[in-house]
Amino acid sequence: MHMAISSRVTVFPDIHTVMTLTPSGSLASNGWMLASLANQGKYCFRMSFADAKRNDVDFVLGSPRQFQKFLAGASETSGRKIKLAYLSGAPVPLPQRKEILSHFETMRVGYGASETGNAITHNYITEENIEDMSLGQPLPWAKLEILDDTGQPVAPGETGFVRMKSAAMSPGYLDANGKDPENLRNGWFYSGDLARLNENGNLVLLGRRDDRLNIGGVKVDAVTIDNALVEFDGVDEGGAFIWTAPATGAECLAVAIAVKNGHDSQNIEERVRALCASRFEKTYVPEKVFIASSLPRNRNGKLQRNRIAESLKATALA
């Protein structure tokens, strides 16, 4: 824990008033609370945007989904900007980056896990490099590799699965009964995330292992579709998934979208399909488009893709 706190203080030496959007009691929120106190600063938890401004918060931490909810109440665009937004947990779409930088001086995107003491990579995002979707290079105390399905490192630019380690590694889990779990072994943490290293050696996160949909042998990167959906006017959130027809058992690519309040959902299915057809190859165009009130997410705001179809069926039966 000491190394994990030290890494936060080292990466953010000027943090003072910190606010986390993550659930209270999580390792992330506890770690940042201790780091802010180590810097003789203050710690806040899940304030509204207006209250954060009134309390001179200068650093806000959370996932992209948590920031979306936080900024829903941010009506003011003038006056002092908050110093820094730090996002992790999922790729940050371009429209959301633009919104964040209208309220923050700068943003930082990062990658890591509780098992590695949190931070593994960081990348500063400003107006000048807003389209840089990478998460930066490994920090001095960390190491990261991209592996293929056989566990061998892939060449730069190729897609694979992430394993990482740091000086703040967890030695294991309390309930492991002396055995190495599948994702934490031989000194490495295997995150299950799909990623690649770009030409600069920066990490580009492509989603989770279950974000690579296999439909009749055709592989589809679901996160690519997700990011396109949230750029669509009137869409609050969207997710691609595999839909199985109840009558025949046939599988197809589908998307579920939640429409923003005040926006008309009429003909939105056709417009969403047209958007995907204009951007992607045929295999990325959904056969089914569902309207949902919201999409299933975990307590940190991460999309639970494997529960989308289940939630749609439950809603239909309600």
Side-chain angles (χ1 to χ4, degrees):
M1 176 64 83
H2 173 73
M3 180 60 200
I5 295 171
S6 298
S7 69
R8 288 173 168 88
V9 174
T10 301
V11 175
F12 303 102
D14 59 344
I15 60 173
H16 297 292
T17 305
V18 175
M19 183 179 76
T20 63
L21 304 175
T22 54
S24 176
S26 68
L27 287 175
S29 62
N30 289 344
W32 284 107
M33 176 182 67
L34 293 173
S36 62
L37 295 177
N39 269 4
Q40 298 183 336
K42 296 185 294 183
Y43 174 80
C44 308
F45 174 67
R46 282 186 169 179
M47 288 182 177
S48 67
F49 178 80
D51 285 341
K53 294 288 289 290
R54 279 193 290 269
N55 284 274
D56 293 324
V57 169
D58 53 20
F59 179 30
V60 181
L61 168 82
S63 70
R65 182 60 179 170
Q66 289 161 350
F67 264 90
Q68 184 181 20
K69 293 182 177 180
F70 172 63
L71 292 178
S75 57
E76 62 177 283
T77 56
S78 59
R80 181 188 70 87
K81 289 186 177 182
I82 299 176
K83 183 182 295 183
L84 177 63
Y86 177 64
L87 292 88
S88 62
V92 185
L94 183 59
Q96 186 176 27
R97 290 171 174 234
K98 292 178 179 178
E99 181 183 20
I100 289 171
L101 287 178
S102 71
H103 298 289
F104 288 80
E105 293 178 10
T106 189
M107 64 179 287
R108 204 163 188 176
V109 292
Y111 180 73
S114 298
E115 289 84 350
T116 59
N118 206 21
I120 288 290
T121 72
H122 283 292
N123 192 15
Y124 270 116
I125 303 297
T126 64
E127 296 287 354
E128 287 70 31
N129 68 335
I130 195 170
E131 296 189 8
D132 179 4
M133 302 303 290
S134 74
L135 300 177
Q137 298 181 4
L139 294 163
W141 55 82
K143 186 174 182 180
L144 181 146
E145 294 181 347
I146 309 297
L147 309 178
D148 62 20
D149 289 330
T150 68
Q152 298 301 310
V154 302
E158 293 186 3
T159 297
F161 300 101
V162 176
R163 77 170 180 178
M164 51 188 170
K165 62 181 177 180
S166 77
M169 283 291 293
S170 167
Y173 299 111
L174 290 176
D175 58 354
N177 296 321
K179 297 180 180 179
D180 282 347
E182 182 65 23
N183 63 337
L184 190 61
R185 60 187 189 274
N186 301 323
W188 291 88
F189 175 63
Y190 294 75
S191 70
D193 288 325
L194 191 66
R196 63 180 175 84
L197 297 178
N198 67 13
E199 63 277 7
N200 298 318
N202 290 351
L203 179 70
V204 179
L205 188 63
L206 302 175
R208 297 285 299 168
R209 183 183 290 267
D210 59 5
D211 289 332
R212 180 187 279 181
L213 306 180
N214 187 342
I215 306 172
V218 177
K219 304 295 194 302
V220 175
D221 176 16
V223 174
T224 298
I225 301 175
D226 296 352
N227 290 341
L229 292 174
V230 296
E231 295 182 30
F232 191 76
D233 184 42
V235 171
D236 182 47
E237 57 178 333
F241 66 102
I242 297 175
W243 173 258
T244 304
T248 64
E251 294 182 340
C252 71
L253 176 64
V255 298
I257 57 175
V259 180
K260 292 180 180 178
N261 291 335
H263 286 261
D264 187 3
S265 62
Q266 185 176 7
N267 299 322
I268 199 167
E269 294 92 340
E270 290 78 7
R271 288 185 284 141
V272 165
R273 273 194 287 268
L275 169 73
C276 292
S278 68
R279 291 199 178 188
F280 309 126
E281 58 188 84
K282 186 177 180 180
T283 55
Y284 276 60
V285 179
E287 292 186 31
K288 296 279 188 180
V289 179
F290 296 91
I291 306 297
S293 57
S294 63
L295 301 187
R297 295 181 180 274
N298 66 15
R299 66 197 299 256
N300 289 319
K302 290 185 179 180
L303 178 65
Q304 295 180 303
R305 196 176 306 280
N306 60 349
R307 291 189 54 222
I308 296 178
E310 174 189 337
S311 66
L312 289 170
K313 291 176 182 177
T315 301
L317 293 173

